[in-house]
Amino acid sequence: MTSTSSDLPIAYVPGRTRPTQTPEQLRARIPGWGVDLDPADRPSVPKLQFQEDLSGAHWEFPDRQPEKWPRERSVEHAFLTPVFGTAQPPKGLSGAIRKYAYRYSEGRAAHWLLLMFADRVDAGEHHLSSLLTLRPDNPITETGVLSEFTHHGLRSRVGVKRTDLVHQSLDPVIVAGPWLIGGWLAFRGVRRAVRALRG
Amino acid sequence: MRAMVYRGPYKMRVEEKHKPTIEHPNDAIVRVTLAAICGSDLHLYHGLMPDTRIGHTFGHEFIGVVDEVGSSVQNLKPGDRVMVPFNIFCGSCWYCARGLYSNCHNVNPNATAVGGIYGYSHTTGGYDGGQAEFVRVPFADVGPVLIPDWMHDEDAVLLTDATPTGYFGAQCGDIVQGDTVVVFGAGPVGLVAAQSSWLMGAGRVIVVDHLEYRLEKARSFAHAETLNFTDYGDIVLELKRQTDWLGADVAIDAVGAEADGNLLQHVTTAKFKLQGGSPVALNWAIDSVRKGATVSVMGAYGPIFSAVKFGDAMNKGLTLRMNQCPVKRQWPRLFEHVRNGHLTPREIVTHRFPLEHIAEGYHVFSAKLDGCIKPLVVPTAA
Ligand SMILES: NC(=O)c1ccc[n+]([C@@H]2O[C@H](COP(=O)([O-])OP(=O)(O)OC[C@H]3O[C@@H](n4cnc5c(N)ncnc54)[C@H](O)[C@@H]3O)[C@@H](O)[C@H]2O)c1
Ligand SMILES: [Zn+2]
Ligand SMILES: [Zn+2]
């Protein structure tokens, strides 16, 4: 028993192609349709293409930028790259964790997990030390949350189907959580100290 | 100078910072006249990218005026108006010599798996970025290009990342005439990928997202069909149904690490940082395309593992293509496309925030408020 192939979805038979508009129809509807049809016109085809002019580089190997402190680097590099960023040198406890993390290659989970952990420590260190400055961290201005009032926070959310609202409700917890926990621990610490003094 | 400064997940402020200085003979210092916030910045903003240090200035999409040049700079002089690719690259390493600018080996000591990027954590080299009044631009003879007279500044700033990345995404799909292309994500990258797919001869372009206002843009800007994945219990099944049970020939992931659509995947990634990325859209791409198809991944994922459905990709004989976009390599062709009106970058710009209000800009873009698609940042002195 055979069915006529035209009854069947194209996946099940050999020769049918997808029904689409003709190139003329597409060209009429879409500006520029097909101008890069030829792969030769696509700039990243083939993937590897020797750049004869070295894209403007007038060196075989670049001059080396001075290293002003022992710059942390991936152990998968043969040496410190000739050029590197000098923003935010490692400092404090987070800096020590970061330097330690760079002992592990990028192939090791320890490398990345330590760096993620150091990021959280870094945030904690800076939040605490900001309290001793004239400009303590301000969760209201720094989260930009006031834009909820100027940029239709409510109207952008009600009556529309969006799946991100469920987890957006977690955001305040994530932002405020460390503050609340920190405050609670500080409160307990002070209470305990007061009791001990009285005690 | 004034600069945006990261203060921890979801937090930033504008501070007075030291103006950058020439640190290498081929450096330039550029005074930023216009910058943008990218979907990639959201990964930093949400604290997902390892080694994002407090005090870091973000920003890898910017244009500006050359303020100062180092002693070996030959191609630029103070006063030149330049656009700067988001990649920092040397031009001369093994990778750059072959056109893989986004994979340069001479600019990022912190990692070998990724090249150099402005303002994108220490994992991409520890360079402060362009959401500031001034920025250090290494390899001034290699990366930046003079902004052509005819080009609009807003087109120029979009050409530093979002537009070339969308176009590169379509190229990595290896589209042939008549192909059905599914684009996941209707953000700046996905919208441009959809628009570019037509240039390469697609027969059908379908864009998937859950934000109706962005899907509306996909219809008007990119002439695409659209599917809101919240309308369907199972978007993979719906895509099979709509493609005569074959599946698309090409899928482009323009979503990346913070994909929605699976609460567990999203929360374990974006909220609790337990995986490098929530590959919901990538898994939908893998499962919905036809066997033997190509999946092009432009969405960014962190360096930690992600729960990708690799077995399906293998069994289906898929080709997976991906990279950070080598921006400058796209420019000559893209300049023609912009000039001829085949690509229209600045049509996706929805918001312009003064640098002093950048925290609001990030919140609006991240929480997808007020119909936001692409926010620009205008520095104080611009
Ligand atoms: N490869 C590169 O060179 C490069 C360059 C720029 C950006 N990127 C990456 O591309 C991605 C997109 O960037 P953007 O600026 O367009 O960001 P964006 O955040 O504006 O857009 C992402 C879109 O994906 C949608 N989305 C979320 N979950 C989805 C799902 N499961 N299916 C379909 N859509 C879903 C969102 O609603 C949003 O509209 C980011 O991951 C970014 O890091 C990569
Ligand atoms: Zn980007
Ligand atoms: Zn290089």
Side-chain angles (χ1 to χ4, degrees), chain A residues 41-151:
Chain A
D41 288 328
R42 303 180 188 174
S44 274
V45 180
K47 177 156 81 172
L48 300 182
Q49 274 178 67
F50 201 82
Q51 310 290 310
E52 295 298 339
D53 64 347
L54 295 182
S55 319
H58 38 87
W59 49 79
E60 269 277 297
F61 181 77
D63 291 328
R64 285 180 180 274
Q65 172 185 334
E67 181 180 3
K68 297 200 175 132
W69 69 87
R71 179 65 163 77
E72 65 286 1
R73 68 172 171 88
S74 168
V75 290
E76 292 174 54
H77 263 304
F79 46 68
L80 179 65
T81 55
V83 165
F84 49 89
T86 50
Q88 300 89 40
K91 275 207 301 235
L93 179 60
S94 57
I97 301 169
R98 283 175 176 137
K99 284 187 204 153
Y100 187 74
Y102 279 94
R103 293 185 184 188
Y104 296 97
S105 80
E106 295 159 60
R108 302 278 295 274
H111 176 76
W112 301 111
L113 294 174
L114 282 167
L115 287 176
M116 292 293 278
F117 178 59
D119 288 353
R120 307 288 94 89
V121 172
D122 192 7
E125 286 174 321
H126 277 86
H127 290 326
L128 288 179
S129 61
S130 84
L131 299 178
L132 305 174
T133 67
L134 290 176
R135 198 178 173 198
D137 277 314
N138 177 338
I140 304 290
T141 55
E142 290 182 5
T143 52
V145 70
L146 293 177
S147 61
E148 289 284 337
F149 304 109
T150 52
H151 289 79

Side-chain angles (χ1 to χ4, degrees), chain B residues 38-41 60-61 86 120 161-162 165 374:
Chain B
C38 175
S40 302
D41 290 324
H60 56 268
E61 306 187 352
F86 80 80
Y120 208 66
D161 180 357
T165 299
K374 186 71 179 177

